[in-house]
Amino acid sequence: MDVNKTPSPFRVMCREIYKDKLAFCSLIVFFTVLIGVFIWAALLDTSEVMRQHLLRGNLPPSREFWLGTDSTGRDTFNLLILGTRNSFIIALIVASITSVIGIVVGLAAGYYGGHVDNVVMRLIDFMTMIPTLMFIITMTVLLPNTIRNFGLILTVFGWTGMARSIRMVSLRQGVMDYVKASKTLGSRNIVIMFREVLPNILSFTIVNLTLSIATTMGIETGLTFLGFGPPPTMPTLGLAVANAANPLAMQLRPWLWLPAALVILVMVLCINYVGQAIGRAADARRRRV
């Protein structure tokens, strides 16, 4: 057994998370919440949860309704379960798609450099100059209010940060000896990018992906609070927090919005703490190499 063998990125990442007690606890809390939410949501009848019962509107928490009911008589706890599941799925899908786009664009810009890099960076600069929030709101108004269109709009503006970060790392990797050796051996550029360069920046990519999930959840919540989120027929955490816009509900009915706000806070903090630990693992592995 070679004791000097460099540990795999996954082992370094697991070791760093285990050493960081806050990140380790955050990971446990995060997956415990997700597993519980997805199991409970699978047992619910969505159409029944969304059905309105006006005669039991605005009931306080009780044995029957753990978190009370909203103004239309729907069970707030079940809405919270469905909203947490839907918000996480939206954030995961959007963050994954934007990460893939950002990785491909960033790798191409950093690896090829020159004119390719100039074109990509000018495009990214143009995208970042656009007032993103106002443009997203405008697009949500102009396009039909569907979850597909909402995800598409977030994707259009979400890939630039990942692309810029991957491009910066790829520029440093492009001058490494292993890349020069692969070029000398006649390997194709696309093979070098995805078989040689990408594995060496995988930890960095995972960090950005985890943070993108937290960012996307925050954006979805903010847009929904402003009234420009997914369709109202689809429960999300943002839709629950939007109840705080009503001064009466804000003061007298905290069960309508406070649990959702706490779930968002806990999930975002957990993702950030785990992402920071993964980032330290990536730095530790680079120092070992």
Side-chain angles (χ1 to χ4, degrees):
M1 181 176 178
D2 187 2
V3 295
N4 295 322
K5 182 179 178 182
T6 302
S8 65
F10 181 75
R11 291 190 62 182
V12 175
M13 181 176 62
C14 292
R15 184 169 56 195
E16 189 66 32
I17 292 176
Y18 182 76
K19 286 168 54 180
D20 187 337
K21 299 306 179 184
L22 183 58
F24 184 67
C25 293
S26 298
L27 188 65
I28 293 177
V29 170
F30 180 74
F31 278 108
T32 300
V33 171
L34 276 188
I35 292 172
V37 162
F38 274 84
I39 292 176
W40 193 288
L43 301 176
L44 293 176
D45 183 355
T46 303
S47 60
E48 180 62 29
V49 174
M50 297 300 294
R51 183 176 300 172
Q52 299 181 0
H53 304 273
L54 299 180
L55 295 180
R56 66 183 195 193
N58 294 321
L59 293 179
S62 62
R63 289 186 177 181
E64 183 179 3
F65 304 107
W66 296 351
L67 294 178
T69 62
D70 64 6
S71 59
T72 61
R74 296 177 298 183
D75 191 328
T76 306
F77 179 78
N78 289 337
L79 289 175
L80 178 65
I81 294 294
L82 294 178
T84 303
R85 182 198 63 181
N86 294 339
S87 291
F88 179 76
I89 292 175
I90 293 172
L92 181 62
I93 293 176
V94 172
S96 299
I97 295 175
T98 54
S99 295
V100 170
I101 297 174
I103 289 170
V104 174
V105 175
L107 273 176
Y111 178 81
Y112 288 106
H115 294 299
V116 175
D117 186 34
N118 288 331
V119 171
V120 170
M121 290 308 299
R122 297 297 77 76
L123 175 61
I124 293 177
D125 290 340
F126 172 75
M127 295 290 291
T128 54
M129 288 172 57
I130 298 175
T132 305
L133 181 60
M134 295 303 300
F135 200 88
I136 290 177
I137 291 176
T138 303
M139 294 302 295
T140 55
V141 172
L142 295 178
L143 296 177
N145 189 10
T146 64
I147 187 60
R148 179 179 297 178
N149 288 338
F150 180 74
L152 179 62
I153 294 170
L154 294 184
T155 301
V156 169
F157 293 95
W159 62 271
T160 55
M162 174 70 83
R164 189 187 294 273
S165 300
I166 296 297
R167 175 253 181 191
M168 179 182 62
V169 179
S170 299
L171 283 174
R172 294 197 296 265
Q173 294 292 322
V175 298
M176 295 292 184
D177 291 338
Y178 73 90
V179 174
K180 296 179 181 178
S182 296
K183 290 181 179 179
T184 303
L185 293 174
S187 299
R188 292 185 300 170
N189 290 327
I190 191 170
V191 173
I192 297 174
M193 283 192 296
F194 290 98
R195 193 181 66 183
E196 305 290 344
V197 177
L198 183 58
N200 283 280
I201 62 174
L202 187 60
S203 299
F204 182 83
T205 304
I206 295 174
V207 174
N208 281 270
L209 174 60
T210 56
L211 297 180
S212 294
I213 294 174
T215 302
T216 305
M217 289 187 67
I219 293 174
E220 180 271 319
T221 301
L223 289 173
T224 306
F225 183 84
L226 295 174
F228 301 100
T233 55
M234 181 179 185
T236 62
L237 290 175
L239 192 62
V241 175
N243 290 314
N246 184 340
L248 187 62
M250 179 77 174
Q251 297 177 9
L252 302 179
R253 303 185 187 111
W255 62 83
L256 295 178
W257 58 271
L258 185 58
L262 292 176
V263 169
I264 295 171
L265 177 63
V266 169
M267 294 190 71
V268 170
L269 286 178
C270 289
I271 292 173
N272 283 330
Y273 287 137
V274 173
Q276 290 173 9
I278 296 174
R280 288 192 297 272
D283 293 336
R285 185 170 185 272
R286 281 197 293 268
R287 289 193 297 269
R288 286 175 174 268
V289 176

